[in-house]
Amino acid sequence: MNASFKQAGQKCLQWIVHHPKKVFTYSMIFLSVSFIGSLIQGIFFPSETVFTIKPPVLYSKSQMEQTPAVNNEKEMKKIVEELEALKVKRDQKQLQKGDSLRIEYLFNQFQKLKTQ
């Protein structure tokens, strides 16, 4: 059985060598038909899967992807302003126990925003 496959393969290769124009024509017809078939399938029967790869934020033109970074900066600025106000309060020696808890909370929030 193995010998028959080898003989058939040899005959095919000889036919291809002796008829290169026919091989080229048949292959071009096959490629054209498969291309048209894939176009028809893509237009009339689109796949259900959606392209889900998102571009990096730097290359995105939409502002929605860039707003979290801007919001983080605004939040960090508010935290710094509040911490400065509490520093002034500390310098005036008017800090209370609730203020020290607030300072700790603000510092932790600032660290979280900084690492994001």
Side-chain angles (χ1 to χ4, degrees):
M1 186 154 170
N2 232 356
S4 64
F5 281 131
K6 286 185 180 180
Q7 286 177 348
Q10 290 294 328
K11 285 183 183 180
C12 286
L13 286 177
Q14 287 176 355
W15 185 84
I16 289 171
V17 168
H18 292 298
H19 302 92
K21 288 183 180 180
K22 287 185 179 181
V23 172
F24 179 77
T25 304
Y26 293 152
S27 60
M28 283 298 122
I29 290 171
F30 174 75
L31 288 174
S32 300
V33 168
S34 64
F35 176 71
I36 291 170
S38 67
L39 279 178
I40 291 171
Q41 180 187 7
I43 292 171
F44 294 112
F45 309 105
S47 64
E48 297 297 322
T49 58
V50 180
F51 189 67
T52 57
I53 298 175
K54 294 180 181 177
V57 176
L58 294 175
Y59 303 115
S60 176
K61 291 184 179 181
S62 69
Q63 292 297 322
M64 293 188 66
E65 293 293 328
Q66 296 173 359
T67 54
V70 174
N71 287 342
N72 283 352
E73 289 179 25
K74 288 180 183 177
E75 289 294 321
M76 289 172 67
K77 204 177 262 189
K78 287 180 186 177
I79 290 172
V80 168
E81 289 172 1
E82 192 171 346
L83 284 172
E84 287 175 353
L86 288 169
K87 182 180 176 189
V88 170
K89 204 172 183 183
R90 181 198 67 186
D91 292 341
Q92 297 173 352
K93 301 197 191 270
Q94 296 176 348
L95 278 181
Q96 298 173 355
K97 187 174 185 179
D99 292 334
S100 62
L101 291 174
R102 182 72 180 160
I103 290 170
E104 189 175 334
Y105 170 76
L106 289 173
F107 183 74
N108 289 336
Q109 287 295 334
F110 185 81
Q111 292 299 327
K112 274 187 199 174
L113 290 173
K114 194 174 182 181
T115 58
Q116 285 182 351

